[in-house]
Amino acid sequence: KKVKFYELNPLEAKLRMASLRRNKTDKNDSFKLALLGKTQLAEIKNHCNKQSNSLYESLRILSLRYKQLIKCRTRILNFLRSSLELTFPELNQIFKNAYAVLALQVFRMYCHPDFLAGLTLKEMTTRVYQSVSRRIHKDVIQSYCAQVWLAAKDSYPAVPADSLEIEIISEYCDEIESYNKEIAYI
């Protein structure tokens, strides 16, 4: 019927209508929306024209994708932490940021205390240092390795070292790393 209209975000409409007298019914809401069109039309037109800019649209889409990736990574992190509870529960207390590069590498290499059998702390630190980015200071790596190495002595895992859970942990780490890269890119 070629009726001219302007589309507003519901939150924006609510905020704009807050300045009007509040009396909540569908009939009153539609009247107040029409009143917005009458009293604030120039401002609404200007705002609607800004929203159609492709740069803002691209940023909005990227923002939504970013939030989606964070949510997916969090879901996989929860799965990873559940698996670690079976293989080496102490790792969950040692590494607060399980998505960090160092944490993921330690999870891959030493997700079961049996993998540390016969290793000295120095050997463990050297292996981890060689496999992670050189941007992480060796003292930080050594500190975390010492905590893991000491925790392995008292750890009592629920599954053996040859469990399928070990492979699943590695896959979770790969998936989290992939999410990290995409999040950093966005």
Side-chain angles (χ1 to χ4, degrees):
K1 295 189 177 187
K2 300 188 186 212
V3 174
K4 195 171 190 177
F5 72 94
Y6 293 94
E7 184 177 353
L8 283 179
N9 180 312
L11 179 61
E12 181 184 1
K14 180 181 177 185
L15 293 174
R16 288 181 181 273
M17 288 187 338
S19 64
L20 304 174
R21 189 164 171 256
R22 198 75 193 129
N23 205 359
K24 179 79 175 124
T25 66
D26 288 343
K27 188 175 179 181
N28 284 341
D29 283 349
S30 60
F31 175 75
K32 287 177 184 172
L33 283 170
L35 194 57
L36 277 180
K38 188 73 172 157
T39 59
Q40 300 179 22
L41 184 61
E43 193 178 327
I44 291 171
K45 276 184 186 178
N46 188 26
H47 184 73
C48 288
N49 289 340
K50 283 182 186 173
Q51 292 294 328
S52 64
N53 188 335
S54 65
L55 177 62
Y56 289 110
E57 182 63 19
S58 297
L59 287 173
R60 187 184 70 76
I61 290 168
L62 285 173
S63 176
L64 289 173
R65 179 66 180 147
Y66 180 84
K67 288 177 185 176
Q68 200 176 42
L69 290 169
I70 294 289
K71 191 175 181 179
C72 290
R73 182 180 71 181
T74 302
R75 183 177 51 83
I76 300 301
L77 277 168
N78 290 337
F79 292 150
L80 172 64
R81 288 201 179 273
S82 294
S83 292
L84 288 172
E85 282 298 319
L86 298 173
T87 61
F88 197 164
E90 291 78 8
L91 291 178
N92 281 328
Q93 282 75 46
I94 295 170
F95 293 98
K96 300 300 179 200
N97 291 336
Y99 57 86
V101 174
L102 178 58
L104 292 172
Q105 195 57 40
V106 169
F107 296 161
R108 276 192 194 99
M109 297 172 75
Y110 306 110
C111 62
H112 198 282
D114 289 357
F115 297 160
L116 291 164
L119 270 182
T120 65
L121 178 57
K122 187 175 181 176
E123 290 171 333
M124 179 189 177
T125 304
T126 304
R127 287 181 184 179
V128 173
Y129 183 71
Q130 288 171 350
S131 64
V132 297
S133 170
R134 300 286 185 217
R135 290 179 287 162
I136 301 172
H137 199 273
K138 194 165 187 172
D139 291 343
V140 173
I141 295 171
Q142 187 170 6
S143 170
Y144 278 106
C145 285
Q147 291 177 53
V148 172
W149 193 75
L150 288 172
K153 292 180 178 181
D154 298 327
S155 185
Y156 191 78
V159 295
D162 61 350
S163 170
L164 187 60
E165 202 69 39
I166 305 300
E167 217 175 294
I168 291 170
I169 287 172
S170 182
E171 289 172 11
Y172 286 152
C173 290
D174 293 343
E175 205 170 335
I176 291 166
E177 209 165 63
S178 173
Y179 282 126
N180 285 345
K181 286 177 186 172
E182 199 167 346
I183 287 167
Y185 176 74
I186 286 179

